[in-house]
Amino acid sequence: MEGLNSSTNNDQTDTISMTKSGEATSTDSTTAAIPVSHEPCTKPDYLEHSNVRYNAANTLLLDDDNDAVMMEWERPLMNAHANILTHNGTKGKRVLNIGFGLGIIDTALQSYEPSLHVIIEAHPTVYKKMISDGWDKKPNVRICFGKWQDELPKLIAEGLEFDGIFYDTYGEHFTDLEDFHEGMAKVLHKRDGIYSFFNGLAPDNLFFHGVACNCVKIQLSHLSLDSEFAQCEIQVDEKDWDGVRRKYWHGRNTYYLPIVTWKKDTA
């Protein structure tokens, strides 16, 4: 979910910019020179990028600007997300993933043999890669090619429910995340469904990270959902960023993995 901008604060020009799955950074429009890492990262034209490409090792996905859509260092985090979304690795769950990227979390989810595995992916290059790699032929996998804004309402209309839902889009605005939550709540299994997202909220600033996490927590609470954040240790080597224009993670070793469930009096 690289690239989400939230609203301005009071009468100042500072904004919270959210990259990958919501990097939030404070930027001041009165500053003449803004570091690349602090530029607004919303990319409404991302789906039109024609040079979105994988490296030879399939460990890096770049857009036209050489910004990373997804990277291999995320694998331990994706594995942890998949385990939680399947209720500690329980087989036969129904799972929904928004944003394929390198296919890391979808590979992890497949290891738990889901009874239904829906993947929504919007970029033509990524979709083509999915098909060439045979994802359309994997057990119980259903690929929805298109924007989640178009595909999620179709799943809602079908009356589908999912035990686990994951969100990790690219180039969207923070309000897109909030809109997704409105729809997500309609397909998350009411008794014991679990929702999570890639938590790149303010990776370079722990204070803003806490603020952004609490903003999401409050919004989800209005939907009768409880949120907690499990601590995971993660190491990202400086050389992992070779060939990438800007980082979407800045040196913190602790990742706060969102675990979102229905409030006890809701199910």
Side-chain angles (χ1 to χ4, degrees), residues 65-153:
D65 303 317
N66 290 325
D67 285 328
V69 179
M70 193 172 195
M71 302 177 68
E72 176 64 26
W73 66 259
E74 298 178 36
R75 187 173 296 275
L77 303 181
M78 296 296 109
N79 289 340
H81 278 286
N83 183 268
I84 286 173
L85 291 170
T86 55
H87 301 246
N88 297 318
T90 303
K91 294 183 178 181
K93 294 296 182 180
R94 299 159 298 177
V95 294
L96 168 64
N97 176 38
I98 315 297
F100 182 79
L102 293 173
I104 298 176
I105 194 167
D106 289 299
T107 298
L109 290 170
Q110 274 290 289
S111 71
Y112 300 124
E113 301 176 12
S115 59
L116 175 63
H117 184 174
V118 178
I119 306 168
I120 298 178
E121 172 55 49
H123 199 282
T125 298
V126 179
Y127 175 70
K128 182 179 179 180
K129 172 72 169 169
M130 295 175 71
I131 299 303
S132 68
D133 287 348
W135 275 90
D136 57 327
K137 298 178 177 62
K138 292 184 182 292
N140 302 321
V141 168
R142 172 180 169 185
I143 300 173
C144 298
F145 175 44
K147 297 173 63 175
W148 67 259
Q149 290 89 340
D150 298 323
E151 299 302 319
L152 184 58

Side-chain angles (χ1 to χ4, degrees), residues 23 41 53-55 77 90 92 114 159 176 220 226 247:
E23 172 181 330
C41 300
R53 65 219 182 263
Y54 294 85
N55 65 353
L77 303 181
T90 303
D176 291 308
L220 287 167
D226 281 328
K247 300 177 181 179

